[in-house]
mmCIF file with all atom_site columns, all heavy atoms in Angstrom:
data_model
loop_
_atom_site.group_PDB
_atom_site.id
_atom_site.type_symbol
_atom_site.label_atom_id
_atom_site.label_alt_id
_atom_site.label_comp_id
_atom_site.label_asym_id
_atom_site.label_entity_id
_atom_site.label_seq_id
_atom_site.pdbx_PDB_ins_code
_atom_site.Cartn_x
_atom_site.Cartn_y
_atom_site.Cartn_z
_atom_site.occupancy
_atom_site.B_iso_or_equiv
_atom_site.pdbx_formal_charge
_atom_site.auth_seq_id
_atom_site.auth_comp_id
_atom_site.auth_asym_id
_atom_site.auth_atom_id
_atom_site.pdbx_PDB_model_num
ATOM 1  N N   . ALA A 1 124 ? 1.670  -28.613 -32.432 1.00 0.00 ? 1102 ALA A N   1
ATOM 2  C CA  . ALA A 1 124 ? 2.224  -29.233 -31.271 1.00 0.00 ? 1102 ALA A CA  1
ATOM 3  C C   . ALA A 1 124 ? 3.179  -28.404 -30.566 1.00 0.00 ? 1102 ALA A C   1
ATOM 4  O O   . ALA A 1 124 ? 3.318  -28.399 -29.374 1.00 0.00 ? 1102 ALA A O   1
ATOM 5  C CB  . ALA A 1 124 ? 3.025  -30.506 -31.795 1.00 0.00 ? 1102 ALA A CB  1
ATOM 6  N N   . ASN A 1 125 ? 3.899  -27.448 -31.373 1.00 0.00 ? 1103 ASN A N   1
ATOM 7  C CA  . ASN A 1 125 ? 4.793  -26.500 -30.678 1.00 0.00 ? 1103 ASN A CA  1
ATOM 8  C C   . ASN A 1 125 ? 4.102  -25.428 -29.873 1.00 0.00 ? 1103 ASN A C   1
ATOM 9  O O   . ASN A 1 125 ? 4.758  -24.767 -29.036 1.00 0.00 ? 1103 ASN A O   1
ATOM 10 C CB  . ASN A 1 125 ? 5.680  -25.836 -31.750 1.00 0.00 ? 1103 ASN A CB  1
ATOM 11 C CG  . ASN A 1 125 ? 6.609  -26.801 -32.378 1.00 0.00 ? 1103 ASN A CG  1
ATOM 12 O OD1 . ASN A 1 125 ? 6.939  -27.875 -31.711 1.00 0.00 ? 1103 ASN A OD1 1
ATOM 13 N ND2 . ASN A 1 125 ? 7.136  -26.513 -33.572 1.00 0.00 ? 1103 ASN A ND2 1
ATOM 14 N N   . LEU A 1 126 ? 2.788  -25.166 -30.162 1.00 0.00 ? 1104 LEU A N   1
ATOM 15 C CA  . LEU A 1 126 ? 2.087  -24.146 -29.352 1.00 0.00 ? 1104 LEU A CA  1
ATOM 16 C C   . LEU A 1 126 ? 2.146  -24.481 -27.888 1.00 0.00 ? 1104 LEU A C   1
ATOM 17 O O   . LEU A 1 126 ? 2.027  -23.610 -27.044 1.00 0.00 ? 1104 LEU A O   1
ATOM 18 C CB  . LEU A 1 126 ? 0.550  -24.158 -29.877 1.00 0.00 ? 1104 LEU A CB  1
ATOM 19 C CG  . LEU A 1 126 ? 0.440  -23.393 -31.167 1.00 0.00 ? 1104 LEU A CG  1
ATOM 20 C CD1 . LEU A 1 126 ? -1.006 -23.557 -31.668 1.00 0.00 ? 1104 LEU A CD1 1
ATOM 21 C CD2 . LEU A 1 126 ? 0.692  -21.921 -31.040 1.00 0.00 ? 1104 LEU A CD2 1
ATOM 22 N N   . ALA A 1 127 ? 2.108  -25.837 -27.631 1.00 0.00 ? 1105 ALA A N   1
ATOM 23 C CA  . ALA A 1 127 ? 2.064  -26.190 -26.172 1.00 0.00 ? 1105 ALA A CA  1
ATOM 24 C C   . ALA A 1 127 ? 3.428  -26.691 -25.622 1.00 0.00 ? 1105 ALA A C   1
ATOM 25 O O   . ALA A 1 127 ? 3.443  -27.222 -24.549 1.00 0.00 ? 1105 ALA A O   1
ATOM 26 C CB  . ALA A 1 127 ? 1.032  -27.294 -25.963 1.00 0.00 ? 1105 ALA A CB  1
ATOM 27 N N   . ARG A 1 128 ? 4.398  -26.569 -26.378 1.00 0.00 ? 1106 ARG A N   1
ATOM 28 C CA  . ARG A 1 128 ? 5.708  -27.137 -25.990 1.00 0.00 ? 1106 ARG A CA  1
ATOM 29 C C   . ARG A 1 128 ? 6.274  -26.231 -24.797 1.00 0.00 ? 1106 ARG A C   1
ATOM 30 O O   . ARG A 1 128 ? 5.937  -25.091 -24.656 1.00 0.00 ? 1106 ARG A O   1
ATOM 31 C CB  . ARG A 1 128 ? 6.639  -27.208 -27.179 1.00 0.00 ? 1106 ARG A CB  1
ATOM 32 C CG  . ARG A 1 128 ? 7.314  -25.918 -27.532 1.00 0.00 ? 1106 ARG A CG  1
ATOM 33 C CD  . ARG A 1 128 ? 8.411  -26.152 -28.603 1.00 0.00 ? 1106 ARG A CD  1
ATOM 34 N NE  . ARG A 1 128 ? 9.333  -24.985 -28.744 1.00 0.00 ? 1106 ARG A NE  1
ATOM 35 C CZ  . ARG A 1 128 ? 9.216  -23.999 -29.633 1.00 0.00 ? 1106 ARG A CZ  1
ATOM 36 N NH1 . ARG A 1 128 ? 8.230  -24.041 -30.450 1.00 0.00 ? 1106 ARG A NH1 1
ATOM 37 N NH2 . ARG A 1 128 ? 10.069 -23.063 -29.612 1.00 0.00 ? 1106 ARG A NH2 1
ATOM 38 N N   . GLY A 1 129 ? 7.221  -26.847 -24.043 1.00 0.00 ? 1107 GLY A N   1
ATOM 39 C CA  . GLY A 1 129 ? 7.801  -26.183 -22.922 1.00 0.00 ? 1107 GLY A CA  1
ATOM 40 C C   . GLY A 1 129 ? 9.237  -25.749 -23.059 1.00 0.00 ? 1107 GLY A C   1
ATOM 41 O O   . GLY A 1 129 ? 9.743  -25.086 -22.225 1.00 0.00 ? 1107 GLY A O   1
ATOM 42 N N   . GLU A 1 130 ? 9.924  -26.026 -24.221 1.00 0.00 ? 1108 GLU A N   1
ATOM 43 C CA  . GLU A 1 130 ? 11.242 -25.711 -24.324 1.00 0.00 ? 1108 GLU A CA  1
ATOM 44 C C   . GLU A 1 130 ? 11.573 -24.544 -25.295 1.00 0.00 ? 1108 GLU A C   1
ATOM 45 O O   . GLU A 1 130 ? 10.687 -24.127 -25.959 1.00 0.00 ? 1108 GLU A O   1
ATOM 46 C CB  . GLU A 1 130 ? 12.034 -26.897 -24.842 1.00 0.00 ? 1108 GLU A CB  1
ATOM 47 C CG  . GLU A 1 130 ? 11.891 -27.200 -26.266 1.00 0.00 ? 1108 GLU A CG  1
ATOM 48 C CD  . GLU A 1 130 ? 10.536 -28.037 -26.638 1.00 0.00 ? 1108 GLU A CD  1
ATOM 49 O OE1 . GLU A 1 130 ? 9.890  -28.421 -25.699 1.00 0.00 ? 1108 GLU A OE1 1
ATOM 50 O OE2 . GLU A 1 130 ? 10.322 -28.164 -27.857 1.00 0.00 ? 1108 GLU A OE2 1
#
Side-chain angles (χ1 to χ4, degrees):
N1103 290 340
L1104 284 172
R1106 80 174 195 261
E1108 74 279 354

